[in-house]
Coordinates of all heavy atoms in Angstrom, one line a residue:
H55 N 31.2 34.0 109.1 CA 32.7 34.1 109.1 C 33.2 32.7 109.4 O 34.3 32.4 108.9 CB 33.1 35.2 110.0 CG 34.6 35.2 110.1 ND1 35.4 35.9 109.2 CD2 35.4 34.9 111.1 CE1 36.5 35.8 109.5 NE2 36.7 35.3 110.6
A56 N 32.7 32.0 110.2 CA 33.2 30.7 110.6 C 33.1 29.6 109.4 O 33.7 28.6 109.5 CB 32.4 30.1 111.7
H57 N 32.5 29.9 108.5 CA 32.3 29.1 107.2 C 33.4 29.3 106.1 O 33.0 29.1 104.9 CB 30.8 29.1 106.7 CG 30.0 28.3 107.4 ND1 29.4 28.7 108.7 CD2 29.5 27.0 107.4 CE1 28.6 27.8 109.3 NE2 28.7 26.7 108.4
R58 N 34.4 29.9 106.5 CA 35.4 30.2 105.4 C 36.0 28.8 105.0 O 35.8 27.7 105.6 CB 36.5 31.1 105.8 CG 37.3 30.7 107.0 CD 38.2 31.7 107.7 NE 38.7 31.5 108.9 CZ 38.1 31.7 110.0 NH1 37.0 32.2 110.1 NH2 38.8 31.3 111.1
A59 N 36.8 28.7 103.9 CA 37.2 27.5 103.2 C 38.0 26.7 104.2 O 38.7 27.2 105.1 CB 38.1 27.9 102.1
P60 N 37.7 25.4 104.2 CA 37.1 24.6 103.0 C 35.5 24.6 103.2 O 34.9 24.0 102.3 CB 37.7 23.2 103.2 CG 37.9 23.1 104.7 CD 38.4 24.5 105.2
Y61 N 35.0 25.2 104.1 CA 33.5 25.2 104.3 C 33.0 26.3 103.5 O 33.9 27.2 102.7 CB 33.2 25.3 105.9 CG 34.0 24.2 106.6 CD1 35.0 24.6 107.4 CD2 33.5 22.9 106.3 CE1 35.8 23.5 108.0 CE2 34.3 22.0 107.1 CZ 35.3 22.2 107.9 OH 36.1 21.3 108.5
G62 N 31.7 26.6 103.5 CA 31.2 27.7 102.8 C 29.7 27.8 102.8 O 29.1 26.8 103.4
V63 N 29.1 28.9 102.4 CA 27.7 29.2 102.3 C 27.4 29.8 101.1 O 28.1 30.6 100.4 CB 27.2 30.2 103.4 CG1 25.8 30.3 103.4 CG2 27.7 29.6 104.9
W64 N 26.3 29.3 100.4 CA 25.9 29.6 99.0 C 24.4 30.0 99.1 O 23.8 29.4 99.8 CB 26.1 28.6 98.0 CG 27.7 28.3 97.8 CD1 28.4 29.0 97.0 CD2 28.5 27.5 98.6 NE1 29.8 28.5 97.0 CE2 29.8 27.5 98.1 CE3 28.3 26.7 99.7 CZ2 30.8 26.9 98.7 CZ3 29.2 25.8 100.2 CH2 30.6 26.0 99.7
A76 N 24.8 25.5 103.4 CA 26.1 25.7 104.1 C 26.9 24.4 104.3 O 26.2 23.4 104.7 CB 25.9 26.3 105.5
I77 N 28.0 24.3 104.0 CA 28.9 23.1 104.4 C 29.6 23.5 105.6 O 30.3 24.6 105.7 CB 30.0 22.8 103.3 CG1 29.2 22.4 101.9 CG2 30.9 21.8 103.6 CD1 30.2 22.3 100.7
S78 N 29.6 22.6 106.6 CA 30.1 22.9 108.0 C 30.9 21.8 108.5 O 30.7 20.6 108.0 CB 28.9 23.1 109.0 OG 28.0 24.2 108.5
P79 N 31.7 22.1 109.5 CA 32.6 21.0 110.0 C 31.7 20.0 110.7 O 30.6 20.3 111.4 CB 33.3 21.7 111.1 CG 33.3 23.0 110.9 CD 32.1 23.4 110.1
Y80 N 31.8 18.7 110.6 CA 31.1 17.7 111.1 C 31.6 17.5 112.7 O 30.7 17.5 113.5 CB 31.3 16.4 110.4 CG 30.8 15.1 111.2 CD1 29.4 15.0 111.4 CD2 31.5 14.2 111.8 CE1 28.9 13.9 112.1 CE2 31.1 13.2 112.6 CZ 29.8 13.0 112.7 OH 29.2 11.9 113.4
F86 N 38.3 13.8 111.6 CA 37.0 14.0 110.8 C 37.2 15.2 109.8 O 36.3 15.7 109.2 CB 35.8 14.4 111.7 CG 35.3 13.3 112.5 CD1 35.5 13.4 113.9 CD2 34.7 12.2 112.0 CE1 35.1 12.2 114.8 CE2 34.2 11.3 112.8 CZ 34.4 11.2 114.1
H87 N 38.5 15.6 109.5 CA 38.7 16.7 108.7 C 38.2 16.5 107.3 O 38.1 17.6 106.5 CB 40.2 17.1 108.8 CG 41.2 16.2 107.9 ND1 41.6 15.0 108.3 CD2 41.6 16.3 106.6 CE1 42.2 14.5 107.4 NE2 42.3 15.2 106.4
R88 N 38.0 15.3 106.7 CA 37.5 15.2 105.4 C 36.1 14.8 105.4 O 35.4 14.4 104.3 CB 38.3 14.0 104.7 CG 39.7 14.6 104.3 CD 40.6 13.9 103.4 NE 39.9 13.9 102.1 CZ 39.9 12.8 101.3 NH1 40.2 11.6 101.6 NH2 39.2 13.0 100.2
T89 N 35.4 14.9 106.5 CA 33.9 14.8 106.7 C 33.2 16.1 107.0 O 33.7 16.9 107.7 CB 33.6 13.7 107.7 OG1 34.3 12.5 107.4 CG2 32.1 13.5 107.8
A90 N 32.2 16.5 106.3 CA 31.4 17.6 106.6 C 29.9 17.4 106.7 O 29.5 16.3 106.2 CB 31.7 18.6 105.3
T91 N 29.3 18.2 107.3 CA 27.9 18.2 107.4 C 27.4 19.4 106.6 O 28.2 20.3 106.3 CB 27.4 18.2 108.8 OG1 26.0 18.0 108.9 CG2 27.6 19.3 109.7
M113 N 26.3 22.3 96.4 CA 27.0 21.9 97.5 C 27.8 20.6 97.3 O 28.9 20.5 97.8 CB 25.9 21.6 98.7 CG 26.6 21.3 100.0 SD 26.5 19.5 100.3 CE 25.0 19.0 100.1
R115 N 29.1 19.5 94.5 CA 30.2 19.8 93.6 C 31.4 20.6 94.5 O 32.5 20.2 94.4 CB 29.7 20.8 92.5 CG 30.8 21.0 91.5 CD 30.5 21.9 90.4 NE 30.9 23.3 90.8 CZ 30.3 24.4 90.6 NH1 29.1 24.3 90.0 NH2 30.6 25.6 91.1
E116 N 31.0 21.5 95.2 CA 31.9 22.3 96.1 C 32.6 21.3 97.1 O 33.8 21.4 97.3 CB 31.2 23.4 96.8 CG 30.7 24.6 95.9 CD 31.8 25.5 95.4 OE1 32.9 25.4 95.8 OE2 31.5 26.3 94.5
A117 N 31.9 20.5 97.7 CA 32.5 19.6 98.8 C 33.4 18.6 98.0 O 34.6 18.3 98.6 CB 31.3 18.8 99.4
T118 N 33.0 18.2 96.9 CA 34.0 17.3 96.1 C 35.3 18.1 95.7 O 36.5 17.5 95.9 CB 33.3 16.7 94.9 OG1 32.1 16.0 95.3 CG2 34.2 15.9 94.1
E119 N 35.2 19.3 95.1 CA 36.3 20.0 94.7 C 37.1 20.5 95.9 O 38.4 20.7 95.8 CB 35.8 21.3 94.0 CG 35.2 21.0 92.6 CD 34.5 22.2 91.9 OE1 34.6 23.3 92.4 OE2 34.2 22.0 90.8
R120 N 36.6 20.6 97.1 CA 37.3 21.0 98.3 C 38.0 19.8 99.0 O 38.5 20.1 100.1 CB 36.4 21.8 99.2 CG 36.0 23.1 98.7 CD 34.8 23.8 99.3 NE 34.5 25.0 98.4 CZ 34.5 26.2 99.1 NH1 34.8 26.4 100.3 NH2 34.2 27.2 98.2
G121 N 37.9 18.7 98.3 CA 38.5 17.5 99.0 C 37.8 16.6 100.1 O 38.5 15.9 100.8
F122 N 36.5 16.9 100.3 CA 35.8 16.2 101.4 C 35.6 14.7 100.8 O 35.3 14.6 99.7 CB 34.5 16.8 101.7 CG 34.7 18.0 102.6 CD1 34.6 19.3 102.0 CD2 35.1 18.0 103.9 CE1 34.8 20.5 102.8 CE2 35.3 19.1 104.7 CZ 35.2 20.3 104.0
H123 N 35.7 13.8 101.8 CA 35.4 12.4 101.4 C 34.0 12.0 101.6 O 33.4 11.3 100.9 CB 36.3 11.5 102.3 CG 35.9 10.0 102.4 ND1 36.1 9.2 101.1 CD2 35.3 9.2 103.2 CE1 35.9 8.0 101.4 NE2 35.3 8.0 102.5
L125 N 29.9 13.4 103.1 CA 28.9 14.4 103.7 C 27.9 13.7 104.4 O 27.4 12.6 104.0 CB 28.2 15.2 102.5 CG 29.0 16.0 101.6 CD1 28.2 16.6 100.4 CD2 29.4 17.3 102.5

Side-chain angles (χ1 to χ4, degrees):
H55 180 71
H57 281 83
R58 61 186 170 275
Y61 308 104
V63 181
W64 295 266
I77 300 174
S78 305
Y80 170 70
F86 294 111
H87 75 278
R88 293 196 59 220
T89 300
T91 189
M113 183 266 305
R115 188 185 89 217
E116 292 284 350
T118 302
E119 290 173 359
R120 292 164 186 242
F122 288 103
H123 170 70
L125 290 171

